């Protein structure tokens, strides 16, 4: 890996590196992970940040939405990711209803996440309405990444995972929300599922970086969901994630071959394949 191409050079990535990277016009790379094994692999591959998304509830947990994720689950997965990660900034999602009720709640829960996982920041969804929570967290020493556009915790209100901010009025609201997050002290904002020209405008008015997912090429960075880009999640890959591998079919084929060999008396062979167990 060439360290000059990653945030923070060779050292651990800090939230302050993000704004510097935007000013220098150098794209930020973030990816999701939920455990130490994948955290080790993606950190070693040179990503700048690992997001322990509340998508863990759907991607690993098989739930329909992210709403069931709890603080204890996020801490459990955040701690695993932190153990596997040497250099990238670890950002842990604050789950539904852990910051919406009051800034006090937000500080208590965000503080727990940082303290008990060793992560460097939290992410939460929403705009001007969550700015008081963002400000309280930042004042308490908890760095915050925002998340605008399609926000999965509001899936029922938004009517499904569909493109956001399609008209002019929506652009004004989005810019107002993004500015509110910036003013409250957020160090970066995820822009999800919106036309590229809209994400470009938001990116232009902010001094903090935007990290896009399904938001076109003109954000300051990009985030993908690891299991989708590896072809490990269900579906046909028609979502906003480009597939960089097809590990799902490789796993299926490997396991089917093993089953076939066991049933056909081919595995194990006459020669021992593993270490003897005393
Ligand atoms: O939870 C998650 O994985 C996310 C990504 C969609 C950015 O928030």
């Amino acid at each position: 890996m060439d360290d000059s191409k990653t945030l923070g050079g060779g050292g651990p990535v800090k939230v302050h590196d993000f704004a510097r990277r935007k000013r220098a016009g150098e794209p930020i790379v973030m990816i999701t992970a939920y455990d130490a094994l994948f955290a080790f692999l993606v950190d070693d591959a040179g990503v700048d940040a690992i997001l322990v998304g509340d998508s863990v509830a759907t991607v690993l947990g098989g739930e329909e939405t992210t709403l069931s994720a709890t603080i204890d689950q996020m801490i459990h997965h955040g701690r695993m990711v932190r153990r596997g990660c040497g250099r990238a900034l670890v950002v842990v999602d604050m789950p539904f209803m852990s910051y919406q009720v009051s800034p006090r709640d937000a500080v208590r829960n965000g503080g727990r996440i940082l303290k008990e996982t060793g992560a460097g920041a939290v992410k939460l969804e929403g705009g001007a309405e969550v700015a008081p929570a963002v400000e309280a967290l930042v004042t308490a020493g908890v760095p915050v990444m925002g998340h605008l556009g399609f926000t999965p915790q509001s899936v029922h209100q938004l009517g499904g995972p569909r493109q956001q901010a399609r008209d002019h009025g929506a652009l004004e609201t989005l810019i107002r929300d993004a500015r509110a997050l910036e003013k409250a002290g957020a160090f970066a904002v995820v822009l999800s599922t919106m036309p590229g020209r809209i994400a470009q405008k938001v990116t232009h008015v902010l001094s903090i970086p935007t990290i896009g997912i399904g938001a076109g090429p003109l954000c300051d960075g990009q985030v993908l969901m690891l299991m989708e880009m590896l072809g490990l999640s269900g579906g046909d890959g028609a979502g906003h994630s480009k597939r960089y591998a097809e590990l799902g079919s490789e796993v299926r084929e490997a396991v089917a071959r093993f089953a076939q060999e066991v049933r056909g008396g081919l595995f194990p062979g006459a020669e021992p394949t593993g270490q003897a167990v005393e």
Side-chain angles (χ1 to χ4, degrees), residues 38-56:
F38 279 104
F40 173 78
L41 293 172
V42 302
D43 186 54
D44 205 36
V47 299
D48 300 311
I50 301 179
L51 172 64
V52 187
D54 58 356
S55 52
V56 66

Side-chain angles (χ1 to χ4, degrees), residues 29-88:
V29 180
M30 183 160 87
I31 199 143
T32 60
Y34 313 113
D35 60 26
L37 169 64
F38 279 104
F40 173 78
L41 293 172
V42 302
D43 186 54
D44 205 36
V47 299
D48 300 311
I50 301 179
L51 172 64
V52 187
D54 58 356
S55 52
V56 66
T58 54
V59 176
L60 293 194
E63 300 279 0
E64 286 279 315
T65 73
T66 59
L67 302 191
S68 66
T70 66
I71 281 282
D72 287 338
Q73 276 171 350
M74 297 315 299
I75 288 174
H76 176 66
H77 289 279
R79 195 183 285 158
M80 284 195 273
V81 167
R82 188 64 200 87
R83 277 202 292 264
C85 173
R87 203 192 131 272

